[in-house]
Amino acid sequence: MTTIAIQAGLEATRKRLKTRRAAQDPRSSMGWGDDQEEAWKLLLEVSRNGLVIWISASNELPIEQ
Amino acid sequence: MSSTDLQQCEDVMPEDALSKQDRKRFKKLRKRATNVIHDGEHSGILMQSEWLELQKLWTASTSANKASNLGPLIGRRKRKESNKVEASHHRDLLAWFMNVIHRPNGLLQQPKKRSRSEDNPLRNPSIPSWVSVHNPASVSNVVVLEVHVPESLDIEACRVAVDAAVSQAKGRTALHAPTKLFQGHQPKSLSDGLLYFVTPSEPYKKQAMEGGDHETSMDQIIQALEDMVLPVDSWNLEGYPTSVDDKSMTAGERSETKAPAVSSLQNLESIPLNEAVQFVEATGFRIKGQNELDKNVFVKTLKRRDTTGDEGVRVFGLDCEMVKTSVGSELARITLIELTSFRSDKMETKTILDALVKPESSVKDYLTRHSGITAELLDPVTTTLKQVQIALLSILQPSDILVGHSLENDLMAAHFIHPRVIDTALIFRHRNKRSKFSLRHISAALLKRNIQRGSHCSEEDAVAALELAIRRARPGDSFVLPNTDERRSIMEMWNTSKDVKRAAIGPASWLQTHFTNTANGIHALGCNSLAACCKAIRAWTTGSRKAHLVWSNVALNDGLPENNLESFQTKLVSHFNHQKVILKNMMQHLTIWYRLIFWSISLQLQ
């Protein structure tokens, strides 16, 4: 039995989270705008929604998927 | 051995070696193995002894279709097609398969429902409700391949590559399950979602309620809430406003100035402003560490002279929204709700006060994304902080309980001190006693409610905080957040069993994080490239050193030229072709042996 699990954009999301935290610190002068927040949320959703595929080993059985 | 010899051997072989009884048994087992039922958890051959029997009969039977593959099949259960899938479902299924492999006979008893207090949730994992497994006894090992791709590469492209590999390899079927890998704003990896069980937290010990099994009353709730009030000793530590000295705290009670009447809580602007200023200035005080630019004073809940003091304990929820001004953070909206009843385990509330407040200093940032406050909303507002303070003084009594999340921020903004507070951020704080969870996270985890979608709403937040406190107070489940720090890996399920072989293959840093940081019997191989990873997987899934569970991690399109989607597809085909389908290859293997035996016999006869 083989399971293939796929996730996209995890590293980029983690890096962006660090930047976001630093920018939102009250002592920071970087600033974090609404457009950056929207981009961050999109990236988070990309990494959140993955795909898992279970590969069965049979060809004699009727496929009901 | 030449092909002519083999042909001679085949001519000598009997037509069917099965007896009538064996043929009957073979027919029965074969029918069960091929009859897929997707209504329930599992179907087909459930015990390994029966699967081995089927293999033996299949090999002996010359009438069986030798070109077919028969093995395990995973499908979606009927009428559960729309179920949302989470990473924990796949984790449970993997743990279930490992149980199947490890306990081959008598393993498919109905797993008992896991209770919250069970200290080992790995003992009886169960199949997710949307999955149906056919011929589970045929599974001898499981390979998990984690694939990480950059955000620029669509998961759909990977799916197409996998599907192409499956159709090329022949004899395979694929079940696709789009999966939510984590909740909240903290991104988590595939390993975090698929590999670990969270161990149950210690139950929160609630006071036993007298009277046996009956509906919880309002009085019982209030009695339990009183035990959750934050001790005054802890105010300083938790950042709650405290006065400079005790004398200033009681100044309000000694003051001769009369508080202005509050005719309407819906319209705080009707409170006479001059009288409000006069009263607040007379009874208010500055607190320890107060910003020097902040000229406003704090007031404290007073025992109202116009009451007898016998109103009983009331429970309120409070939440404020703030904006950034030249002074710092100032109040822009305040919401106060009251718990009016608690019946049939449901609370009812009433909004007592919900007002926008004009900050005294110029606004630098409306923090609209969080506060929901905009310039258009605040421009026409004339309600001041002092009028809000008068309103709060007119509502609250010292005996009342005020509930909120990180309430110190709300009280600082409102410049108000109340003696009996319950802070849900402290009630549900992290085990390390330093970190606090957001109200949004706690509501999602415990109330199963998503709040603060978009900007915050102070009324929604006040209701959520109040409900969290009441559910915690109510007799029943301990109502705690799961302890995510203490988690157990499904790869470590069989640390004490020498028979179960497990292997982890992937980058060194990943191995260090998940496998090699503790003493266990897991074989770990460091591989960075796809080719090396696939070679290692093949080594651990074939031959005499076959592992029961192989967990691997690869990254595609990560800069290495050989780690691309095309290579991935090619390697997958090779992997599927090398993975032994039990019945087909056992049959081939045994057929060759039979031929060898007959050849040697025929030679001897000659």
Side-chain angles (χ1 to χ4, degrees):
Chain A
M1 185 70 68
T2 304
T3 311
I4 300 175
I6 309 169
Q7 182 178 28
L10 179 67
E11 280 314 306
T13 308
R14 282 178 168 162
K15 280 181 188 163
R16 192 72 67 91
L17 178 64
K18 278 187 185 166
T19 308
R20 181 176 182 261
R21 279 187 182 149
Q24 289 187 328
D25 190 312
R27 293 163 291 186
S28 164
S29 57
M30 274 170 70
W32 185 259
D34 286 343
D35 51 345
Q36 286 170 294
E37 182 69 10
E38 285 308 312
W40 146 251
K41 280 180 179 168
L42 277 170
L43 199 54
L44 188 65
E45 286 310 301
V46 165
S47 62
R48 191 198 306 279
N49 295 308
L51 177 66
V52 179
I53 307 174
W54 288 84
I55 316 286
S56 306
S58 175
N59 73 343
E60 182 159 321
L61 303 176
I63 317 288
E64 290 184 57
Q65 297 289 334
Chain B
M1 189 192 302
S2 69
S3 57
T4 318
D5 296 326
L6 278 173
Q7 188 58 48
Q8 282 176 346
C9 289
E10 281 187 12
D11 292 339
V12 171
M13 276 174 70
E15 287 215 334
D16 199 323
L18 293 179
S19 64
K20 188 178 174 184
Q21 196 182 6
D22 283 346
R23 275 204 300 274
K24 211 172 162 186
R25 178 70 178 153
F26 173 59
K27 193 175 168 186
K28 187 179 174 188
L29 285 175
R30 195 171 186 286
K31 189 178 176 187
R32 202 173 348 137
T34 53
N35 187 23
V36 180
I37 303 166
H38 279 311
D39 279 346
E41 282 186 349
H42 37 64
S43 58
I45 306 292
L46 307 184
M47 292 181 64
Q48 203 184 69
S49 53
E50 286 185 337
W51 184 257
L52 290 171
E53 191 185 349
L54 175 60
Q55 285 175 347
K56 197 174 147 189
L57 292 170
W58 188 300
T59 312
S61 167
T62 53
S63 61
N65 182 357
K66 304 295 185 186
S68 64
N69 286 352
L70 187 64
L73 179 71
I74 290 185
R76 275 194 183 265
R77 214 181 294 186
K78 278 182 185 164
R79 292 178 292 280
K80 301 277 186 183
E81 292 85 359
S82 61
N83 275 26
K84 289 180 187 169
V85 182
E86 298 189 355
S88 57
H89 297 173
H90 301 289
R91 175 205 66 200
D92 290 352
L93 189 52
L94 285 165
W96 187 85
F97 271 121
M98 287 308 293
N99 249 11
V100 166
I101 292 167
H102 185 55
R103 292 188 289 162
N105 289 320
L107 63 127
L108 291 168
Q109 302 137 358
Q110 275 299 318
K112 63 180 178 187
K113 199 172 177 184
R114 286 208 318 266
S115 69
R116 281 175 177 268
S117 58
E118 191 172 328
D119 60 355
N120 186 3
L122 305 178
R123 198 173 290 144
N124 281 315
S126 51
I127 298 177
S129 61
W130 53 273
V131 169
S132 174
V133 181
H134 187 74
N135 292 338
S138 61
V139 176
S140 59
N141 67 345
V142 180
V143 175
V144 179
L145 181 59
E146 288 185 18
V147 180
H148 290 271
V149 300
E151 71 280 14
S152 53
L153 184 65
D154 197 5
I155 280 186
E156 179 64 17
C158 292
R159 186 194 65 77
V160 168
V162 171
D163 282 348
V166 167
S167 57
Q168 263 185 282
K170 293 181 186 163
R172 308 276 164 176
T173 53
L175 170 65
H176 298 92
T179 301
K180 194 171 186 180
L181 297 174
F182 56 87
Q183 313 268 3
H185 283 185
Q186 186 77 21
K188 289 185 183 156
S189 70
L190 287 166
S191 303
D192 290 321
L194 299 179
L195 201 49
Y196 296 97
F197 277 94
V198 171
T199 51
S201 307
E202 285 169 18
Y204 168 70
K205 291 188 176 65
K206 295 185 181 181
Q207 263 190 353
M209 290 295 181
E210 292 172 1
D213 186 22
H214 58 84
E215 213 172 79
T216 312
S217 69
M218 183 82 153
D219 287 340
Q220 286 171 324
I221 289 291
I222 290 174
Q223 188 189 340
L225 284 173
E226 286 185 334
D227 292 332
M228 288 159 58
V229 166
L230 183 69
V232 177
D233 302 340
S234 305
W235 283 17
N236 242 339
L237 189 65
E238 303 298 348
Y240 275 78
T242 52
S243 71
V244 173
D245 54 50
D246 287 337
K247 285 180 188 167
S248 58
M249 284 279 272
T250 53
E253 279 145 3
R254 294 196 307 268
S255 171
E256 296 295 328
T257 313
K258 200 178 165 188
V262 177
S263 56
S264 165
L265 289 168
Q266 273 66 48
N267 180 18
L268 298 187
E269 289 152 354
S270 63
I271 300 172
L273 185 57
N274 288 339
E275 289 178 38
V277 170
Q278 207 175 2
F279 183 77
V280 168
E281 294 290 335
T283 57
F285 46 86
R286 293 186 70 79
I287 62 163
K288 286 178 190 172
Q290 187 169 350
N291 185 350
E292 285 184 11
L293 296 172
D294 178 12
K295 302 301 175 197
N296 287 307
V297 292
F298 280 70
V299 294
K300 182 194 156 194
T301 308
L302 301 169
K303 190 174 172 186
R304 296 208 304 273
R305 296 189 184 113
D306 58 343
T307 64
T308 57
D310 289 335
E311 290 81 15
V313 176
R314 297 174 300 169
V315 180
F316 293 87
L318 175 74
D319 190 68
C320 299
E321 302 299 342
M322 282 71 89
V323 294
K324 264 194 184 162
T325 67
S326 49
V327 165
S329 192
E330 281 196 55
L331 184 67
R333 181 183 176 188
I334 183 165
T335 305
L336 185 73
I337 60 168
E338 184 183 355
L339 176 69
T340 51
S341 69
F342 188 81
R343 238 180 259 116
S344 305
D345 281 350
K346 280 196 180 140
M347 70 171 201
E348 282 174 15
T349 60
K350 180 182 164 190
T351 303
I352 304 291
L353 177 66
D354 188 4
L356 289 166
V357 184
K358 187 84 171 182
E360 292 192 5
S361 308
S362 58
V363 178
K364 287 167 104 178
D365 187 352
Y366 286 90
L367 302 173
T368 308
R369 188 171 56 243
H370 301 297
S371 65
I373 307 284
T374 60
E376 290 76 28
L377 274 174
L378 272 192
D379 275 346
V381 171
T382 57
T383 306
T384 64
L385 175 65
K386 290 182 175 55
Q387 287 169 317
V388 167
Q389 287 173 308
I390 296 294
L392 289 173
L393 287 171
S394 74
I395 301 166
L396 293 170
Q397 285 272 63
S399 57
D400 295 334
I401 296 174
L402 199 54
V403 180
H405 191 82
S406 291
L407 201 51
E408 74 277 14
N409 297 323
D410 304 295
L411 294 176
M412 290 291 280
H415 286 64
F416 196 84
I417 293 180
H418 185 74
R420 304 181 91 203
V421 297
I422 291 175
D423 190 337
T424 46
L426 301 177
I427 299 290
F428 296 99
R429 82 189 313 171
H430 198 276
R431 274 165 63 98
N432 64 17
K433 303 287 183 203
R434 292 190 308 271
S435 317
K436 294 179 191 174
F437 293 106
S438 68
L439 182 62
R440 184 181 175 189
H441 170 74
I442 302 172
S443 296
L446 292 178
L447 300 177
K448 306 297 178 201
R449 192 191 304 159
N450 288 324
I451 63 169
Q452 298 173 0
R453 276 184 278 196
S455 61
H456 296 207
C457 168
S458 52
E459 190 175 353
E460 187 182 52
D461 290 355
V463 169
L466 190 55
E467 187 171 352
L468 283 169
I470 285 169
R471 289 275 297 271
R472 180 58 166 255
R474 194 189 70 181
D477 273 348
S478 61
F479 203 64
V480 293
L481 284 169
N483 182 6
T484 52
D485 281 349
E486 286 182 18
R487 53 184 196 174
R488 292 183 62 185
S489 162
I490 60 173
M491 281 285 267
E492 295 185 12
M493 276 165 77
W494 296 275
N495 276 358
T496 52
S497 171
K498 289 176 188 171
D499 303 330
V500 180
K501 284 192 200 147
R502 298 146 292 160
I505 302 161
S509 56
W510 173 76
L511 290 172
Q512 173 61 25
T513 305
H514 298 290
F515 303 103
T516 58
N517 51 355
T518 54
N520 51 49
I522 300 170
H523 302 270
L525 277 88
C527 295
N528 280 322
S529 74
L530 184 61
C533 204
C534 291
K535 194 175 171 186
I537 292 172
R538 195 180 308 158
W540 279 98
T541 53
T542 54
S544 59
R545 59 190 294 203
K546 194 160 78 171
H548 296 95
L549 178 59
V550 175
W551 203 293
S552 58
N553 182 306
V554 296
L556 294 187
N557 284 24
D558 60 348
L560 285 176
E562 62 270 28
N563 288 3
N564 58 34
L565 205 52
E566 291 74 27
S567 300
F568 175 58
Q569 186 177 326
T570 313
K571 299 287 178 219
L572 267 184
V573 175
S574 173
H575 165 72
F576 293 143
N577 287 336
H578 274 89
Q579 265 214 320
K580 306 275 185 210
V581 176
I582 291 172
L583 259 180
K584 175 182 178 184
N585 288 285
M586 269 294 285
M587 171 217 36
Q588 284 177 341
H589 180 69
L590 286 172
T591 305
I592 290 170
W593 273 110
Y594 272 121
R595 288 178 180 170
L596 280 174
I597 290 166
F598 276 102
W599 178 73
S600 70
I601 292 172
S602 65
L603 279 178
Q604 283 173 13
L605 287 173
Q606 285 169 13

